[in-house]
Amino acid sequence: MKELAHKLRTSQVSSVELVQHYLDRIRAVDSDIRAFLYVDEDGAIAEAKASDERRRRGEPLSPWDGIPIAIKDNICTVGTPTTCASRMLENYYSPFEAEVITRIKQAGMPILGKTNMDEFAMGSSTEFSAFYITRNPHDLTRVPGGSSGGSAAAVAAGEAPWALGTDTGGSIRQPGAFCGVVGLKPTYGRVSRWGLVALASSLDQIGPMARTVADAEILFSIIAGHDNRDSTSWPNAAYRVMDAVPDNLKGISVGVPEEFFAEGLDPEVACSVRQAIKMLENLGAEVKPISLPHNIYSIDTYLTLVTAEASSNLARYDGVRYGLRVEAPDCTTMFKKTRTKGFGPEVKRRIMLGTYVLTASHHEAFYEQARRVRTLIAQDLEQAFSSVDVVVTPTTPTTAFRIGEKQDPLQMYLSDSYTAIANLAGNPALTMPCGIDRKGLPIGLQLIADHFREDLIFTVGRVLEQSLREVEAGGEL
Amino acid sequence: MGNYELTIGLEIHVELATKSKMFCGCATTFGAPPNTQCCPICLGLPGTLPLLNRTAVEYGIRAGLALNCRINPVSEFARKNYYYPDLPKAYQITQHDKPLAENGFLEYFLDGQLTKTTITRLHLEEEVGKSIHSGDSIIGSEYSSIDYNRAGIPLIEIVTAPEIASPKQARVFLEQLRLTLQYLGVSDCKMENGSLRCDANVSVRDIEGNPGEKVEIKNLNSFRALERALAYEGERQAVLLSQGKQVLRETRTWDEKAQKTVRMRLKAEAPDYRYFPEPDLPPLELEQVWIHEIASSLPELPLAREERFQKAYGLSEYDAGVLVRAPHLADVFEETVALGHSPKLTANWVLGDFARLARQGEVVSAQHFGELLELVSSGQINNNQGKAVLEEMFATGASPREIVQKKGLTIIQDLGFLKTVIQEALNEHSELVERYRSGEDRLLGFFVGQVMRRTGGRAEPVLVNKLLAEALQPGRNWEPHKE
């Protein structure tokens, strides 16, 4: 991205040319991949023209002025729809924009369009979009992961240089891993949730998706920062990109939780991640075994909390004020018909589960219990970061699965086995490609750090990325 | 009620008088055109987040402190989930497990006895919108409209212990609570506008103390409705029990037209609100310094003021009570007394014509009011003139001296002039003078009237009486005084 910025600065390329390039690419490949729900050609070109004009005047808004971006469709934008890939909001236009969109615009970046996702961010394959499925650019018979599958696929297919996704239990990192792109779930409170259509408010974060760790860091620095409209936003949330990173990792300690390499992990994924860990060691990092004993409960805990919060957050879609309404002779029937028609199967499943775990008679056994386990899981990580700088794990148990392969919702939920921990504990976590399996599918490695230590993640990530690239170029480890 | 005792607990909702709503910047003006005071936040649009209004918290703390509650250093917002068209997010942000304030009490005089009622808790929550049905209720109406202006206005909910023993006590408690909140300036507490609302839990127990089932009564929109509904409901339950029947645990509503309570729903049909902590708002942590600051800024409360009026000014229990219940009158009273006027005279005037005139709205300043008392007590104008002047003061806002001057209202005390007028009157009615002198004492009033008429009511009455009595003395040969 620094290269692109340089070309824009030195007028080797204009923003209009750049945007046109991505629009052409979208036109060429998106009929197969279907990463976008809405492409805003006119809007993007207009913004690009304005950017070029600013550069001509020598007044770019930022070094990234004119570099376009794709936005997941659960982030509110003005002038383009915000559908959350749901029939419920099929024609919904938000009257206000998300804080991250304001920041993107303040950096001068044209918005290419809105990307596909699992309906209301519920899912791990983008198969639960109410409109159409998105395909994995590495293998069109496979899913791109989810719920930010559209953003991941768009970046992987070269339809956008980078994108915003959202992550509640792994929704940036899992599709990032499946599509071979980098994605960061920031520390809870580092990026404003103002204008993010809520799935589970205590877990949701918006994050960057990009082709390299360095690009993800740049995009992160653009969107991170305090916003007083979000009461869970952190006062010192701003992030500054590190100018340079060292060429080794001496003095950095890396924790490897053995629980993440147990049953259920694809051997090829395990092998690739272990090779990367070996590489970290060769780069001078101290690798230590650690234990995160409560992670085995993270999916149960996550599902209990995410469904509980979602059942409440999605209750407002009742047909009264906006969105879909199915007319009926009385109000209660209108609610029922609207919600029956407006929501897809996974959304309904989670609303019912969430309603159940919050009912007075089950509240203690499920919801309160999950809150307690959440604390234990967070304590595991806190304990880990008293002795290591970053934790390294596989991002997902497997590489991308086939479209239609996972019919059992429980199997689908296991996609988040390694990622939900960071949402439950609020820690930052990044996925980056660390290899490919025999089917040619990308394998993702996850780096987790202590709260607000994205800098450590980016340091380790950038050094590792450099090293992996050299190996790829040299053809050997 | 016979062999049964009534147990009443109240739940009171009070709209706080903040300028903006609880979680957004929208105005809270009562009576604005429908849906003109709303924004994406109070309409619950996707992607919005609540932002807590500090003044609402401050008002809640003020109320909690005035009700002698413990203010929790950490309280927590929660979501109360239910579907209703006037509830934009389909959940209400309220407080559940950890309320703002707990364990307080309110004292008040009940039949002259100082009485205390426990305040179990006080918590913050947001208002819902207002449904306007084309028919009597949502059921059977052809259509309903919703006004979201009210949605998101801050509320406090105050819950008493179930220890109120009579409908009258409930009313007196609620009156004292309203007065206390008005003194605090946290709410206008207008039941007719819905800024003060009350629900009641009622049960009866038999003489052996066996507790009965609790029935909740809603829609108590006035003090009268509260008292009547409680009386009706106590009687209804007592009759059921005396017939060997069961009281069902249920929610009833007060039907103002029929003057009775009717069933809304049985306990088993009550919704499960699925409370859980509001994830969009961190726990509400309060600094002790702030709480102390608020505590030290609390005004004198009605009960303390009532006691002080009796002790410091020697007012009767009745006068003190009436004044304190009308803070605008009590304020004028105190300010006027502070200017050096007699408490008794001031109280008489304030509670008399002043109170009547102040009902129309405007209040005159203590400065002007004091001037008036001065004119009256020094005898420069008489009582009746004083009343007329006060009326004029309310009407025009002019000072009493201006009014007196303009209308030429000063009293005539000039002996010479009065004697002349008296002589004229006596000369004109010499026959009557004779009758008086032969013993018809009651004719004195006639002569007084004659003098007053000739002086336009401005003659000093005591003086006139004295001079007339002298002039009418039998045998006295009246000679006009010559200067």
Side-chain angles (χ1 to χ4, degrees), chain B residues 70 146 256 264 311 391 394 438:
Chain B
R70 176 167 54 87
I146 308 163
E256 188 68 50
M264 277 174 78
K311 280 194 195 118
E391 202 137 339
F394 270 95
S438 52

Side-chain angles (χ1 to χ4, degrees), chain A residues 411-468:
Chain A
Q411 284 303 310
M412 189 76 93
Y413 297 152
L414 290 176
S415 297
D416 293 333
S417 297
Y418 302 149
T419 47
I421 185 172
N423 302 79
L424 290 168
N427 293 65
L430 173 130
T431 185
M432 58 185 286
C434 66
I436 49 169
D437 69 5
R438 272 176 307 208
K439 293 178 283 243
L441 298 170
I443 294 167
L445 167 144
Q446 178 176 234
L447 293 169
I448 312 172
D450 207 352
H451 295 108
F452 300 99
R453 293 313 302 271
E454 280 86 350
D455 60 321
L456 283 172
I457 287 180
F458 288 126
T459 302
V460 175
R462 280 168 66 175
V463 174
L464 178 62
E465 183 175 66
Q466 184 61 31
S467 208
L468 285 164

Side-chain angles (χ1 to χ4, degrees), chain A residues 76 89 92 95-96 188 193-198 201-202 228-232 308-309 312-313 315-318 320-322 331 335 339 355 358-361 363 367 371, chain B residues 40-41 43-52 76 79 81 83-91 97-98 138 141 146 148 272-282:
Chain A
C76 291
L89 294 177
Y92 181 72
F96 66 95
Y188 186 78
R193 293 186 295 116
W194 175 258
L196 162 60
V197 181
S201 315
S202 78
N228 64 8
R229 290 173 299 182
D230 175 0
S231 301
T232 61
E309 291 186 29
S312 175
N313 280 331
R316 69 189 67 194
Y317 306 110
D318 56 11
V320 174
R321 290 159 299 276
Y322 49 81
C331 190
F335 285 169
R339 290 170 67 79
T355 304
L358 283 175
T359 48
S361 48
H363 184 93
Y367 181 75
R371 295 235 297 168
Chain B
I41 296 178
L43 290 174
L45 295 193
T48 54
L49 296 167
L51 183 63
L52 184 58
E76 186 180 79
R79 292 186 183 178
N81 297 283
Y83 288 95
Y84 203 75
D86 64 18
L87 186 65
K89 300 183 292 293
Y91 58 82
D97 287 338
K98 295 175 188 160
I138 189 167
S141 283
I146 308 163
Y148 290 106
D272 180 343
Y273 293 119
R274 307 190 308 280
Y275 288 100
F276 71 100
E278 166 56 278
D280 285 329
L281 292 167

Side-chain angles (χ1 to χ4, degrees), chain B residues 269-373:
Chain B
E269 299 160 0
D272 180 343
Y273 293 119
R274 307 190 308 280
Y275 288 100
F276 71 100
E278 166 56 278
D280 285 329
L281 292 167
L284 179 57
E285 291 177 23
L286 301 172
E287 288 170 19
Q288 282 304 314
V289 185
W290 193 36
I291 297 174
H292 288 314
E293 242 171 64
I294 295 169
S296 61
S297 75
L298 288 186
E300 182 185 34
L301 295 176
L303 187 71
R305 198 177 202 188
E306 200 172 335
E307 288 171 335
R308 184 168 58 82
F309 276 16
Q310 292 179 39
K311 280 194 195 118
Y313 302 130
L315 296 188
S316 70
E317 204 182 291
Y318 178 83
D319 283 359
V322 176
L323 275 179
V324 166
R325 278 194 289 281
H328 61 294
L329 297 182
D331 289 347
V332 168
F333 166 77
E334 289 219 78
E335 287 169 40
T336 311
V337 170
L339 293 172
H341 299 282
S342 136
K344 187 65 203 162
L345 177 73
T346 309
N348 283 347
W349 272 85
V350 168
L351 291 173
D353 286 81
F354 194 101
R356 176 177 59 81
L357 293 165
R359 220 170 287 153
Q360 270 114 52
E362 290 297 297
V363 173
V364 305
S365 73
Q367 196 67 43
H368 281 178
F369 183 54
E371 266 175 38
L372 174 71
L373 295 186

Side-chain angles (χ1 to χ4, degrees), chain B residues 357-418:
Chain B
L357 293 165
R359 220 170 287 153
Q360 270 114 52
E362 290 297 297
V363 173
V364 305
S365 73
Q367 196 67 43
H368 281 178
F369 183 54
E371 266 175 38
L372 174 71
L373 295 186
E374 179 62 37
L375 288 171
V376 174
S377 59
S378 67
Q380 292 179 64
I381 56 173
N382 65 30
N383 232 24
N384 286 336
Q385 289 175 322
K387 289 180 181 186
V389 171
L390 185 62
E391 202 137 339
E392 195 67 16
M393 285 161 68
F394 270 95
T396 64
S399 86
R401 284 189 202 288
E402 282 167 12
I403 295 165
V404 163
Q405 242 166 24
K406 211 171 95 192
K407 301 210 158 186
L409 277 180
T410 43
I411 250 170
I412 299 169
Q413 289 174 305
D414 184 323
L415 281 179
F417 177 70
L418 284 180

Side-chain angles (χ1 to χ4, degrees), chain A residues 392-405:
Chain A
V392 182
T393 78
T395 305
T396 53
T398 66
T399 52
F401 45 86
R402 287 188 186 283
I403 290 165
E405 183 181 328

Side-chain angles (χ1 to χ4, degrees), chain B residues 59-123:
Chain B
Y59 283 10
I61 296 171
R62 279 172 82 84
L65 289 170
L67 297 173
N68 306 292
C69 290
R70 176 167 54 87
I71 306 298
N72 288 326
V74 181
S75 64
E76 186 180 79
F77 288 99
R79 292 186 183 178
K80 178 180 181 177
N81 297 283
Y82 64 96
Y83 288 95
Y84 203 75
D86 64 18
L87 186 65
K89 300 183 292 293
Y91 58 82
Q92 178 191 29
I93 302 179
T94 177
Q95 295 191 300
H96 188 57
D97 287 338
K98 295 175 188 160
L100 179 68
E102 286 176 283
N103 282 334
F105 61 86
L106 179 67
E107 288 179 305
Y108 48 95
F109 285 107
L110 180 65
D111 299 326
Q113 284 292 111
L114 191 61
T115 310
K116 188 190 260 191
T117 293
T118 308
I119 305 293
T120 310
R121 58 183 277 153
L122 179 153
H123 71 247

